[in-house]
């Protein structure tokens, strides 16, 4: 605790922004996992994490259109939360931690690559396996 109100406000500001950053990723990945569970081809969902990386990986099979939907669900849900935050606290700038998840639909991110794969193989089943990591 500190008695300095400026230091307290700065610490609180930082804490709120870090929590919004974390919540944005939790909403993003949870929405992917929830979307995967909607389709019966998924037998398991594996959680993968690293220093600055957190993702969910489906195991089983999905059709291309299902992969496209799951790819959109993560960033879409985060953007929806961001829009809600913007409506409830418009001057806070907290919404941007959620709205920035739209960039994950660009092709050099996993969601963007999955979206492209889903569109390319729209009506075909695709086998999904956990990647093997050589250590």
């Amino acid at each position: 605790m500190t008695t300095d109100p400026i230091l307290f406000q700065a610490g609180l500001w930082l804490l709120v922004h870090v929590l919004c950053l974390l919540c944005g990723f939790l909403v993003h990945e949870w929405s992917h996992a929830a979307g995967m569970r909607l389709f019966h081809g998924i037998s398991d969902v594996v959680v993968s994490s690293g220093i600055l990386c957190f993702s969910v990986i489906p195991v089983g099979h999905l059709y291309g259109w299902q992969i496209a939907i799951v790819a959109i669900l993560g960033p879409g849900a985060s953007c929806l939360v961001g829009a809600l935050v913007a409506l409830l606290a418009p001057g806070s700038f907290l919404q941007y931690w959620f709205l920035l998840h739209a960039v994950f639909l660009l092709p050099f991110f996993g969601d963007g690559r999955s979206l492209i794969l889903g569109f390319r193989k729209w009506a075909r089943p695709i086998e999904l396996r956990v990647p093997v990591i050589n250590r």
Side-chain angles (χ1 to χ4, degrees):
M1 286 300 287
T2 179
T3 57
D4 183 0
I6 293 174
L7 187 59
F8 177 76
Q9 285 180 341
L12 187 60
W13 180 88
L14 181 62
L15 177 65
V16 168
H17 281 273
V18 168
L19 287 175
C20 284
L21 173 67
L22 177 63
C23 285
F25 281 103
L26 290 175
V27 166
H28 181 126
E29 295 303 330
W30 182 85
S31 298
H32 280 315
M36 290 174 204
R37 292 295 184 182
L38 289 174
F39 304 117
H40 299 291
I42 298 299
S43 60
D44 200 10
V45 176
V46 177
V47 176
S48 172
S49 64
I51 294 172
L52 293 174
C53 178
F54 177 77
S55 61
V56 291
I57 303 167
V59 177
H61 67 277
L62 290 175
Y63 285 89
W65 66 269
Q66 293 170 324
I67 290 174
I69 289 172
V70 170
I72 292 169
L73 281 176
S78 288
C79 288
L80 189 62
V81 171
L84 183 62
V85 171
L87 288 173
L88 297 175
S92 69
F93 295 103
L94 297 174
Q95 65 269 20
Y96 296 112
W97 291 117
F98 298 94
L99 295 173
L100 284 171
H101 282 261
V103 302
F104 290 111
L105 290 173
L106 295 174
F108 43 84
F109 290 107
D111 293 338
R113 288 191 302 270
S114 294
L115 186 60
I116 291 170
L117 174 68
F119 284 145
R120 290 180 63 220
K121 312 253 183 195
W122 189 258
R124 289 184 244 157
I126 300 166
E127 187 70 27
L128 305 167
R129 292 173 285 179
V130 178
V132 176
I133 300 171
N134 295 327
R135 294 182 187 226

